[in-house]
Amino acid sequence: MASHRKSRTPGPRVAGIRTPALATAALTSVALLSQTAEAAPGEDRPSLEEVEKKVGDLYRQAESATEKYNAAKEKTGKQRKRVDTLLDDVAKRTQKLNEARSELGSYAAAQYRTGAGMPDTATFLLAETPQDIFDQRQVLDRMTGRQKAAVDDYVTQQTETMEKRQEATESLRTLTETQGDLKTAKATVQKKLADARELLSKLTAEEKARLAAIEKRKQEEAARKAAELARQQEEQEQAREEAAQQGGGATEGSGSTGSTETPPADSSYGTKAEKALAFARAQIGKPYVWGATGPGSYDCSGLTQAAWKAAGVSLPRTTYDQVNAGTTVPVSQAQPGDLVFFYDDVTHVGIYIGNGMMIHAPKPGTYVREESIYYDGDSAIHSIVRPA
C-alpha cells in the first residue's frame, strides 16, 4: 500500500460516491425514519450525520457487490468460452475416435469370419477406462502391420478423447460455480438498491431540506480542498520549471505525503491521457448503471476502462484489478489521466482531470459528471495510479 494513503477516521461519509443532495437526503431520511420507528419511546433520535453514515454503508455494500458482480461476469464469460472450446474439441475427437473404431471394427469382423475366436482387435472396442487401454496394449504384441497401426490410432484417439471429456467436465463445474457467484452478487446489488428505493419513498420535505444543506456544505469543502491541491500542483510545476532553467535536479514534493517527487509523466502518456479524457468528457450526462460498460451507461470502473481503451490502453474490468494496473503516485502529484481510487476496499474509481477534479460515474440515480476528488473527504482517497 502506498505511503500516502491515510487511515480512515470516524465521521460522516457516504460509501462510493456522494449522491446529489436530493438522493442523499432521501436515502438518509429513510434510515432515520426506520430507526426512529424501532426506537423505544423517549430514546434519542440519531443525528443526521449518523443516519447519513448508515445510508452510505448501504451504498458502499451495493458498490462492493457491483465490483464482485463485474469480476464474476468477466470470469463467467471467459469460462464459458473455454467450455465451448473444449466441447467443440471433444466433438471433433469423438468423430475421429468413431472413424478409428470403424476401421478397427473391420479388422475384428474379418478375424471373426475366419473363425479365429474372440478377435484381438475387438477387445479394444470394449475399453472403458485408461486401465483397460493399458491392459489391452499387451495385445499389440500379437499384431503386425496395418492392424497394429489401426489399433494404436484407436487407443490414442480414445485416450485423448477421455482426457478432453474430463477436462470439459471440470470446466463445466467451474462455470457452474462462477455462475453462482454472479447470481449472488447480482441479488445483493438488487437488494441494496431496492432498500434505497424504499427509503427514498419515505422522505419528508423537512429532512430533504436539512440534508441538502449538509450536502451543500460538504460540496463546498470538497471544492476548497480541490482548489488547494490545484495551488500545490501549480507551485510544483513552477519549481520544476525554475530548476530546469537553472540546471538543477528534481525538487522535493510539496504534497501532504512529504515523499520525494515522482518524475513527471512523459509526453506519450500525456497524449494518451488526452484521448482518455476526451472520451470521458463525452460521456458526461450518461446515467450510472451498475455492471454497465457503455456506450449508453456506465458504472465507475466501466467508465475508466472504456476511457483508457479509447486511448489504446487495455485496463482490467474491476477496480480491484485496475488499482494494480499502473504506477502509484502521491495525490499531490496527480496528473490528468491518472486513476483515483477510493476507500480501503477499493470500490470506486474516477479519472483525474486536473485542479483537484475528476470525471466519474458516481452511483445509481446519478450521472457521469465532474466532481472534486475530495467529494467524500481526503481520507476516502485510497491511491492515485498512473496507467500506460
Side-chain angles (χ1 to χ4, degrees), residues 14-28 52 55-56 59 211 215-216 219 360 362-366 369 371 375:
V14 172
I17 297 301
R18 295 290 190 193
T19 57
L22 176 60
T24 301
L27 295 177
T28 301
E52 184 182 34
V55 174
Y59 265 99
L211 288 174
E215 182 65 23
K216 181 178 180 181
Q219 291 175 349
H360 67 154
K363 62 173 59 175
T366 62
R369 67 191 184 209
E371 192 163 21
Y375 74 96

Side-chain angles (χ1 to χ4, degrees), residues 2-315:
S3 61
H4 66 278
R5 296 178 192 164
K6 300 183 179 180
S7 60
R8 301 172 65 86
T9 57
R13 290 178 33 182
V14 172
I17 297 301
R18 295 290 190 193
T19 57
L22 176 60
T24 301
L27 295 177
T28 301
S29 66
V30 179
L32 177 59
L33 291 174
S34 298
Q35 179 166 334
T36 301
E38 298 175 356
E43 183 176 338
D44 290 339
R45 185 183 180 93
S47 67
L48 290 180
E49 287 77 7
E50 292 172 335
V51 174
E52 184 182 34
K53 182 181 183 302
K54 291 182 179 179
V55 174
D57 289 342
L58 180 66
Y59 265 99
R60 284 283 302 281
Q61 291 166 15
E63 198 161 31
S64 177
T66 294
E67 289 305 314
K68 290 179 180 178
Y69 170 86
N70 291 338
K73 183 178 180 180
E74 183 177 45
K75 184 177 180 180
T76 298
K78 292 179 179 179
Q79 195 64 33
R80 183 176 289 113
K81 289 181 180 179
R82 175 170 174 75
V83 168
D84 290 343
T85 298
L86 286 171
L87 291 178
D88 184 59
D89 191 13
V90 167
K92 292 178 180 178
R93 290 180 182 278
T94 299
Q95 182 178 355
K96 291 182 179 180
L97 177 62
N98 290 335
E99 293 172 354
R101 179 183 288 112
S102 178
E103 182 178 0
L104 190 58
S106 66
Y107 286 115
Q111 287 180 335
Y112 184 77
R113 286 194 299 271
T114 63
M118 182 63 179
D120 289 336
T121 51
T123 62
F124 285 88
L125 300 177
L126 303 178
E128 296 181 352
T129 68
Q131 184 62 44
D132 292 337
I133 296 172
F134 175 79
D135 294 339
Q136 292 167 3
R137 281 185 181 275
Q138 306 301 319
V139 180
L140 290 175
D141 293 338
R142 301 193 295 273
M143 300 178 183
T144 59
R146 293 179 61 189
Q147 184 183 26
K148 183 175 181 179
V151 169
D152 193 57
D153 180 53
Y154 176 78
V155 170
T156 298
Q157 293 296 339
Q158 187 177 45
T159 300
E160 293 180 352
T161 300
M162 292 171 65
E163 291 175 348
K164 284 298 179 180
R165 284 175 177 169
Q166 180 62 31
E167 188 176 354
T169 298
E170 289 298 318
S171 292
L172 281 169
R173 180 185 60 78
T174 301
L175 175 60
T176 300
E177 292 177 354
T178 55
Q179 287 176 326
D181 294 338
L182 182 66
K183 183 178 180 180
T184 298
K186 180 177 181 179
T188 300
V189 175
Q190 292 175 330
K191 177 62 167 60
K192 299 304 178 182
L193 297 183
D195 290 345
R197 287 191 294 270
E198 181 181 357
L199 295 179
L200 183 60
S201 68
K202 299 177 181 178
L203 179 66
T204 66
E206 179 184 358
E207 290 169 334
K208 181 191 303 183
R210 293 168 62 193
L211 288 174
I214 292 177
E215 182 65 23
K216 181 178 180 181
R217 289 196 297 272
K218 291 180 179 178
Q219 291 175 349
E220 291 173 348
E221 176 62 15
R224 185 192 67 76
K225 286 182 175 293
E228 181 180 348
L229 176 60
R231 179 185 58 76
Q232 291 179 357
Q233 292 176 330
E234 183 178 1
E235 292 175 352
Q236 289 180 4
E237 181 61 28
Q238 291 176 350
R240 280 194 293 266
E241 292 178 355
E242 292 175 359
Q245 294 174 356
Q246 298 173 4
T251 62
E252 291 296 313
S254 59
S256 59
T257 63
S259 60
T260 301
E261 181 172 323
T262 302
D266 57 30
S267 59
S268 64
Y269 177 80
T271 299
K272 294 175 183 177
E274 287 179 3
K275 293 180 180 179
L277 289 174
F279 179 93
R281 288 191 176 96
Q283 312 315 308
I284 291 176
K286 292 184 178 180
Y288 173 104
V289 173
W290 66 273
T293 57
S297 58
Y298 298 89
D299 63 16
C300 66
S301 56
L303 175 63
T304 52
Q305 182 188 50
W308 272 102
K309 182 179 180 180
V313 176
S314 179
L315 290 180

